[in-house]
Amino acid sequence: MPFKNSINQPKYTFWISVIIVWIISTLVDRIWWEFYSNTPSWDQADYLNSALDHARALSFLEGDGFVDFRSLLDKSPKIPPLASIVNGAVIAFAGDSPHKAAWSLSLWNGFLIFNLASWGLFLRGRKFALFCVFISAFSPFLFALRTDYVLELPLISFIAFYLFHLGRWSDNSRGGKWIQLIIALFACSSCLLIKQSSLLVIIPSCLFVFILSFKRKNKFRLQLLCFFLVNILAVLPWFYHNWIMILSGTYRAVFESAAIEGDPSIFDLKSIFWYFPYLNNQFGSILFFFGLSGLVFILLTYIRSFKTPLGFANILNKNNYQWTWICFNLLTSWVFTTFIPNKDERYIAGTLPLIILLLALGFCKWSDWLDSYFKFNFYGLLFIAPLSFLFSDSLNRFNNINSAQRKYYPVKEIISIIRSDHIGDKKETVIVIPSTPEVNQHNVTYMGRIQSGNILGRQLGQSLSHIEPVIEYSNWIILADGDQGSVPSNSLVLDKSIRDSNLFIEIQKFPRENGGSYSLWKRSSTSFKPKEFNNRFIELAKSMEQGPLGIKLIFDEIAIQHMLDGHFKYQNIVRKKALSNINSNLENIDYLWTLSLLNILSNRPFEADIYLKDLERLLPNNPWPSAYRSIVNLASWNPWKASFIAEKANIRHQHYFLKALSDISAVLRGSFWRLISASKSVPMAVENVDEILKPTEE
């Protein structure tokens, strides 16, 4: 027994060392968060709101819970839910203020360090693993992610977990086991359910394994098939429910944002070399120099000793496979990320675990060289990582803590005033005009919802069409005085209209850091009460029978209304009223349109189809119920039913829109010979719709 303990002692010492490094990095993070616990803004507040949504839906915190699985999926319309679920659980345990919610980042950091330590042990042993751990713990970029509430840290930690275990399973000499595959399955599904950008790493790695399968046994191919099928099934419920929002949101984030921010073309040299300058800042100049120079020494040594021709079999042999796996995935995921139009330092985060492994390899080369010539213990090289951190720009964040603490965020005071005006958990929506880093719809929502609050923030003022609805329906408004930078002129017009309306009274002013002030306004008790949208919604729903003109009118008004009423309170009122009337009269056309529109807005295509089918029967001369039925069935991935409905209705109506829907759904169900017909009918339908809408746009 003593002999056994002495064998295992270095192993325990190693893991204790890893835990100590994680604790030190966590202490540094907590010092930052305790001093800098100001109100989050923009993306940070948005991700915190998502965590709160899931915590309430899963009853981790006080909330309404979720009615069914679809209502839970409603909480993540654009970003996958896994990170928000985990972060929500941590919020329920640690607290919902920003610095307490940030404990989730410390846990994700611990998971990343553990994965890199495990990968390092597997590749080259304890010395190499310790270099990996120290480089990760003291990377300036990872420190920035640990002190900024975004999704990149959970993404990086699971990418490291995924690549490590998929690499182990795909290794012909030591892999191929079912337990390895199960772990890789879990890791891949988790990556996909954290953020879509994980595909930039997952796609090339899966392609590599797929090519390998042609040289492997049938068991490996069966396992690979299971890998693909299970991952598709894991992501399918979320993607199936939210696919329209996911695709449209991804398009806006990738392409529209790139155009707005002026990012270079993907074929521009500036785009190709965009991320290279960031590497020095991400790891610190000292650490990056030692790691990179060590890699250069390795490469030169390898070239000098290189005698046999390089072949595919040599690359993938048992001695080289893991490093081939690492280099291939680093190169391909870097290229994939480079060719994404939208550029940001955070987007290259998925490659960081692989870069850390290579830098650690460079440190090992320095260690071996120093040990050979000077008998220098490698432990001294471990201190290069914290030394590099001390000389990096990261310390400027601590140096600026005093100024950061003095920066004034009035959101807490604004929310406190609104809450003091309410009884219980009354749901309220605050209109923010304009949206700034200090006060915006995201941090107003977050601060309004912590501690079981129900206050949401929404932004309006981008269009002159917002003026009348804001005057008629809003109750609380936040305005900004003084220089507002590049704020659209429409926001200034709306601001003036509110001040001049005599319907709102100014509750309190709050100073702004760069001069001017914010002011909180409330509808005067002597003014008319805000109009209710319930009856107007029923009128709007009936205009669906007009086709494109009616749809444009509906979504123009509802888009604004959903800003004015972030809780969608009108929907429950309208639904109860409509169901009550339908129960007494099954052929009430107005309320059938109402329920159809409600279910479309709620992303419930199956239920919408039920009411549209009744309208199709009651309005035999109107082509639009059939057109909407075909669309909602396409939205629910049922092109067979959509095609049947559109073709049957087109025979009766001979309508341009039904013809286009018939061709599209036929192609999607597998009738590819209809592509020729679709290439004619779809542009014709688009042209007709444009002609109908042109007068309203003018």
Side-chain angles (χ1 to χ4, degrees):
M1 186 65 67
F3 180 71
K4 184 177 180 181
N5 288 338
S6 65
I7 291 177
N8 290 332
Q9 187 176 0
K11 179 181 176 182
Y12 294 132
T13 303
F14 168 78
W15 286 112
I16 290 171
S17 302
V18 171
I19 292 171
I20 290 172
V21 172
W22 172 67
I23 291 172
I24 292 171
S25 65
T26 301
L27 286 173
V28 174
D29 300 344
R30 297 318 303 174
I31 290 171
W32 165 260
W33 280 108
E34 290 300 324
F35 282 99
Y36 185 79
S37 57
N38 283 326
T39 303
S41 60
W42 306 122
D43 287 352
Q44 296 83 352
D46 203 17
Y47 293 134
L48 283 164
N49 282 321
S50 180
L52 277 178
D53 282 337
H54 287 82
R56 288 185 172 189
L58 293 167
S59 299
F60 297 153
L61 295 173
E62 253 184 76
D64 299 330
F66 64 97
V67 178
D68 53 27
F69 188 58
R70 289 185 299 175
S71 67
L72 177 62
L73 294 175
D74 287 335
K75 305 297 181 183
S76 51
K78 298 176 185 176
I79 299 295
L82 181 60
S84 294
I85 291 172
V86 175
N87 294 343
V90 174
I91 285 175
F93 180 78
D96 53 16
S97 59
H99 69 290
K100 292 179 179 177
W103 272 107
S104 62
L105 297 174
S106 299
L107 297 180
W108 289 118
N109 180 46
F111 187 48
L112 172 62
I113 288 175
F114 172 82
N115 287 323
L116 288 171
S118 301
W119 205 345
L121 277 177
F122 179 74
L123 288 171
R124 292 189 54 132
R126 285 190 290 271
K127 179 171 75 171
F128 177 74
L130 282 174
F131 281 128
C132 293
V133 168
F134 270 75
I135 292 171
S136 172
F138 295 99
S139 160
F141 181 61
L142 287 173
F143 169 70
L145 294 182
R146 300 198 308 262
T147 53
D148 193 8
Y149 206 95
V150 289
L151 294 184
E152 268 62 35
L153 193 58
L155 178 66
I156 293 172
S157 63
F158 257 107
I159 282 177
F161 186 55
Y162 159 72
L163 288 175
F164 172 42
H165 288 284
L166 190 67
R168 289 186 65 184
W169 166 72
S170 60
D171 189 340
N172 197 31
S173 61
R174 291 178 282 186
K177 299 179 179 64
W178 282 101
I179 185 62
Q180 292 172 332
L181 176 70
I182 292 170
I183 296 172
L185 271 172
F186 168 73
C188 185
S189 299
S190 299
C191 288
L192 291 169
L193 289 171
I194 287 175
K195 201 172 183 182
Q196 294 97 312
S197 56
S198 63
L199 287 169
L200 299 172
V201 176
I202 290 172
I203 290 175
S205 62
C206 288
L207 181 62
F208 185 80
V209 175
F210 176 73
I211 294 171
L212 283 182
S213 67
F214 291 102
K215 286 184 167 287
R216 299 290 175 85
K217 296 178 181 179
N218 288 335
K219 177 186 174 183
F220 185 87
R221 295 170 190 167
L222 175 63
Q223 290 177 333
L224 183 60
L225 179 63
C226 292
F227 178 83
F228 288 140
L229 290 177
V230 173
N231 276 298
I232 290 170
L233 291 174
V235 180
L236 189 61
W238 169 73
F239 184 79
Y240 172 77
H241 185 73
N242 295 301
W243 71 273
I244 296 175
M245 289 292 292
I246 293 167
L247 295 181
S248 60
T250 302
Y251 176 80
R252 287 194 298 271
V254 173
F255 296 100
E256 290 185 4
S257 294
I260 293 170
E261 295 166 9
D263 291 325
S265 167
I266 59 174
F267 299 110
D268 192 330
L269 279 176
K270 187 177 180 182
S271 173
I272 294 172
F273 294 101
W274 182 273
Y275 291 105
F276 285 99
Y278 289 116
L279 287 175
N280 189 48
N281 296 330
Q282 287 176 337
F283 293 100
S285 54
I286 300 174
L287 190 152
F288 190 68
F289 167 78
F290 270 90
L292 187 61
S293 59
L295 289 175
V296 172
F297 291 158
I298 291 172
L299 180 62
L300 293 175
T301 304
Y302 182 74
I303 292 173
R304 288 180 60 186
S305 63
F306 190 66
K307 296 177 181 179
T308 59
L310 187 63
F312 187 71
N314 292 330
I315 292 175
L316 299 180
N317 67 28
K318 64 180 181 180
N319 297 319
N320 292 326
Y321 178 79
Q322 287 297 326
W323 289 106
T324 304
W325 171 254
I326 290 167
C327 292
F328 173 85
N329 281 289
L330 174 57
L331 178 64
T332 52
S333 56
W334 184 282
V335 170
F336 271 50
T337 307
T338 298
F339 282 99
I340 295 297
N342 196 14
K343 308 292 184 186
D344 189 273
E345 183 181 4
R346 285 192 289 135
Y347 299 158
I348 205 68
T351 63
L352 254 64
L354 301 170
I355 297 173
I356 288 171
L357 292 173
L358 289 179
L359 291 177
L361 187 63
F363 270 84
C364 279
K365 181 64 177 177
W366 272 106
S367 174
D368 294 341
W369 183 79
L370 290 171
D371 183 56
S372 299
Y373 289 94
F374 303 103
K375 302 301 178 184
F376 186 82
N377 195 304
F378 82 94
Y379 289 112
L381 291 177
L382 293 175
F383 292 100
I384 290 177
L387 183 68
S388 179
F389 179 82
L390 291 174
F391 283 96
S392 70
D393 291 337
S394 299
L395 287 187
N396 289 336
R397 293 168 68 87
F398 288 98
N399 294 334
N400 295 330
I401 278 181
N402 288 332
S403 61
Q405 283 182 308
R406 288 195 299 268
K407 191 171 183 179
Y408 180 59
Y409 286 80
V411 176
K412 291 182 181 178
E413 292 182 47
I414 291 172
I415 295 300
S416 177
I417 292 170
I418 297 172
R419 280 184 173 174
S420 66
D421 191 70
H422 288 153
I423 299 174
D425 60 347
K426 182 181 176 183
K427 296 179 178 179
E428 191 60 83
T429 303
V430 182
I431 307 302
V432 182
I433 308 167
S435 188
T436 67
E438 292 81 21
V439 180
N440 57 72
Q441 65 272 29
H442 300 302
N443 57 26
V444 167
T445 296
Y446 178 66
M447 300 308 296
R449 297 182 69 227
I450 61 175
Q451 300 173 0
S452 304
N454 272 312
I455 300 169
L456 301 180
R458 292 293 183 265
Q459 180 188 5
L460 283 171
Q462 303 92 329
S463 169
L464 293 177
S465 63
H466 296 175
I467 295 175
E468 184 179 347
V470 169
I471 297 294
E472 290 186 355
Y473 293 105
S474 59
N475 192 32
W476 291 92
I477 302 173
I478 299 173
L479 300 177
D481 307 300
D483 181 19
Q484 298 177 29
S486 58
V487 171
S489 58
N490 293 335
S491 294
L492 301 177
V493 176
L494 176 55
D495 181 292
K496 187 175 187 305
S497 300
I498 291 167
R499 297 176 191 273
D500 295 343
S501 67
N502 296 321
L503 298 175
F504 299 88
I505 57 173
E506 185 178 339
I507 302 298
Q508 188 171 328
K509 279 185 178 289
F510 306 89
R512 295 180 66 185
E513 187 178 30
N514 297 322
S517 63
Y518 293 102
S519 54
L520 177 63
W521 296 70
K522 182 188 177 186
R523 183 176 291 275
S524 170
S525 58
T526 58
S527 70
F528 62 85
K529 289 185 178 180
K531 289 185 178 180
E532 293 185 351
F533 189 66
N534 316 334
N535 295 328
R536 177 58 181 156
F537 182 87
I538 297 169
E539 295 173 14
L540 285 173
K542 194 174 187 306
S543 62
M544 286 178 72
E545 63 187 12
Q546 301 172 26
L549 275 175
I551 292 296
K552 185 178 188 307
L553 173 65
I554 288 168
F555 283 96
D556 282 351
E557 288 202 35
I558 286 180
I560 299 173
Q561 183 60 32
H562 282 185
M563 294 292 103
L564 295 167
D565 176 14
H567 296 280
F568 309 152
K569 291 181 286 186
Y570 76 90
Q571 290 189 357
N572 286 332
I573 299 170
V574 171
R575 183 174 283 106
K576 288 178 181 178
K577 185 175 181 180
L579 288 173
S580 175
N581 281 275
I582 287 293
N583 289 334
S584 59
N585 180 9
L586 296 175
E587 297 186 352
N588 190 316
I589 292 174
D590 289 356
Y591 288 105
L592 286 172
W593 281 121
T594 299
L595 290 169
S596 299
L597 181 57
L598 275 175
N599 283 296
I600 290 171
L601 293 173
S602 303
N603 193 14
R604 299 294 184 268
F606 294 111
E607 289 82 349
D609 182 59
I610 295 170
Y611 298 111
L612 289 169
K613 184 178 181 181
D614 290 336
L615 287 165
E616 191 179 36
R617 174 177 53 84
L618 294 170
L619 300 171
N621 297 321
N622 190 324
W624 294 109
S626 299
Y628 300 140
R629 280 195 73 198
S630 183
I631 291 170
V632 297
N633 278 283
L634 283 175
S636 60
W637 294 16
N638 192 349
W640 301 272
K641 186 174 180 180
S643 177
F644 174 77
I645 293 167
E647 288 181 2
K648 183 179 175 183
N650 190 45
I651 293 171
R652 185 168 65 250
H653 297 287
Q654 291 298 303
H655 194 270
Y656 69 93
F657 202 81
L658 288 169
K659 172 62 176 169
L661 285 172
S662 174
D663 288 334
I664 291 172
S665 53
V667 171
L668 292 174
R669 77 178 182 193
S671 301
F672 299 114
W673 56 88
R674 297 278 292 273
L675 276 170
I676 297 174
S677 178
S679 66
K680 298 176 182 177
S681 62
V682 173
M684 186 182 297
V686 172
E687 187 178 337
N688 275 286
V689 171
D690 286 342
E691 286 296 321
I692 292 170
L693 297 180
K694 191 176 290 183
T696 62
E697 291 172 355
E698 292 173 354

